[in-house]
Amino acid sequence: MAWYGSELLGIAASFVRPPKNVEAPQGTSELALDRSGITDRNSIVEAIKDDLQRSYFVTGNLTLDAYEEDCEFADPAGSFKGLRRFKRNCTNFGSLLAQSNMKLMKWEDVEEKGIGHWRFSCIMSFPWKPILSATGYTEYYFSKESGKVCRHVEHWNVPKMALLKQILRPSRGFWQKNEGS
């Protein structure tokens, strides 16, 4: 329920506050193919790393060609299939943020998947300016048929209730700034 509620909040917010323009082109890069016509895994991994630098979780600016159209996207709150829905949700979430920072800490290649360990923080654009901060990792499962990502599974190293508390907690200095108003 919380996941679908946040998705609806993001959609509503996108009408009030359109997403910020993002400098990099929206996900239409030519990825290399191997001899058998399958998308080269190294080119997909490099595209994912570039997407992480562009904070694709909150901009929606990801290399679409690196994913299958019916890719499954999952996190601790739920899962769904569909690349376009994922892109829309990421873009809409970004419209709720005043600032964000995402950093890839480590990349691992493990048989049928790659694992990107990341650190994320943001200041939400709510009146009380809550600060969210978390570490986690995303598993990118590669299809044997296409070579593209067929499952994208996020793991957050913070309990859901701790994230909720972060959202509800005003940022430091919030009350001092408002006392003089």
Side-chain angles (χ1 to χ4, degrees), residues 33-157:
L33 301 177
D34 68 13
R35 291 183 188 146
S36 61
I38 295 174
T39 307
D40 177 65
R41 183 167 169 170
N42 288 330
S43 67
I44 290 177
V45 168
E46 289 307 311
I48 291 169
K49 288 178 181 179
D50 289 345
D51 291 348
L52 282 161
Q53 285 190 328
R54 288 193 305 271
S55 297
Y56 78 92
F57 280 15
V58 297
T59 63
N61 190 2
L62 69 158
T63 306
L64 299 175
D65 293 342
Y67 298 83
E68 292 186 341
E69 278 298 320
D70 65 344
C71 183
E72 177 188 3
F73 295 91
D75 65 23
S79 73
F80 62 88
K81 287 189 174 192
L83 180 58
R84 302 293 169 188
R85 182 176 177 187
F86 179 70
K87 180 179 172 31
R88 182 195 71 209
N89 289 347
C90 291
T91 303
N92 290 344
F93 180 64
S95 68
L96 298 172
L97 306 180
Q99 289 178 245
S100 69
N101 183 10
M102 173 158 246
K103 181 171 174 112
L104 177 65
M105 306 304 292
K106 178 172 85 168
W107 181 269
E108 295 178 274
D109 282 306
V110 183
E111 297 175 20
E112 81 283 356
K113 66 182 175 181
I115 304 171
H117 298 263
W118 43 262
R119 182 178 67 218
F120 174 76
S121 63
C122 68
I123 300 173
M124 299 195 74
S125 58
F126 298 158
W128 58 95
K129 304 289 186 219
I131 298 170
L132 298 182
S133 181
T135 60
Y137 61 97
T138 303
E139 297 173 299
Y140 302 87
Y141 290 86
F142 300 102
S143 164
K144 289 181 178 150
E145 291 81 31
S146 69
K148 296 181 178 188
V149 176
C150 60
R151 276 187 84 216
H152 174 285
V153 183
E154 292 176 27
H155 302 272
W156 291 66
N157 297 334

Side-chain angles (χ1 to χ4, degrees), residues 153-172:
V153 183
E154 292 176 27
H155 302 272
W156 291 66
N157 297 334
V158 60
K160 290 179 214 171
M161 286 308 295
L163 278 176
L164 180 61
K165 287 179 184 177
Q166 287 181 21
I167 291 172
L168 297 175
R169 183 182 312 127
S171 63
R172 268 189 232 148

